[in-house]
Amino acid sequence: KSCYDNGRLDTILGQIKSGDYLFVQFAINDAGYTNADRYAPVCGSVTNPTDGSYEFYINKYVEGALSKGATPVLVTTVIGLKAYSGGKFVNSYENYCQAMKNIAAHYKIPCIDLNSLMVSHYNSIGYDAAKLYHLHGVVSGSTDMTHFSEQGADAVAKIVANAVKNLGIP
């Protein structure tokens, strides 16, 4: 929501051209219901979304890219260390992830389920290794369990790159 409201999409649409790709991944800030500047609730409708809803904003990005001849690629949100429950990592922001998948299906565009891919990867390496992917694990005194360290950013980028390859996105 805030990226749209602050003109970020307009900036992108002023530069994007036919043949380009626009990867769209939002949700964590949109889910913050205590911050009206960023909150965009899931409404459950792709074809007639409520103004101000998550689907409303994601549709703006998709339609903007398509209007420029670019290919939008939707990406479900990342997970953080708080997505650890019962000794394993679990999906988070599930309603936002489902909305993203529904929008991709509606427009018949690619969707990378990064949330699920990260859950699988994090469970394969364990909590202690996954902790090093976040600032909380590498910056003394940090309580930030969401944002990535350089190692974490590289790992997530690799997950996305492999998904692009596996989906056959040119």
Side-chain angles (χ1 to χ4, degrees), residues 39-158:
Y39 182 53
V42 171
C43 73
S45 176
V46 172
T47 56
N48 189 26
T50 308
D51 284 356
S53 69
Y54 183 71
E55 293 91 341
F56 172 85
Y57 289 108
I58 297 301
N59 281 343
K60 295 290 186 186
Y61 283 84
V62 170
E63 291 171 4
L66 292 172
S67 76
K68 296 292 188 164
T71 301
V73 178
L74 302 184
V75 183
T76 63
T77 193
V78 298
I79 66 167
L81 291 175
K82 291 180 183 178
Y84 191 74
S85 177
K88 66 180 183 170
F89 286 95
V90 296
N91 291 92
S92 57
Y93 303 96
E94 292 175 277
N95 55 341
Y96 286 87
C97 293
Q98 189 59 54
M100 195 68 96
K101 293 174 195 176
N102 292 346
I103 294 167
H106 172 73
Y107 285 100
K108 297 177 178 57
I109 58 174
C111 182
I112 296 170
D113 188 1
L114 183 57
N115 197 272
S116 293
L117 293 170
M118 287 183 69
V119 166
S120 178
H121 177 69
Y122 276 31
N123 282 325
S124 75
I125 64 171
Y127 184 87
D128 290 338
K131 184 177 177 181
L132 298 176
Y133 285 4
H134 295 269
L135 296 180
H136 176 65
V138 298
V139 176
S140 180
S142 175
T143 59
D144 187 340
M145 300 174 89
T146 302
H147 295 96
F148 299 110
S149 65
E150 187 172 344
Q151 178 185 1
D154 287 345
V156 173
K158 183 177 180 180

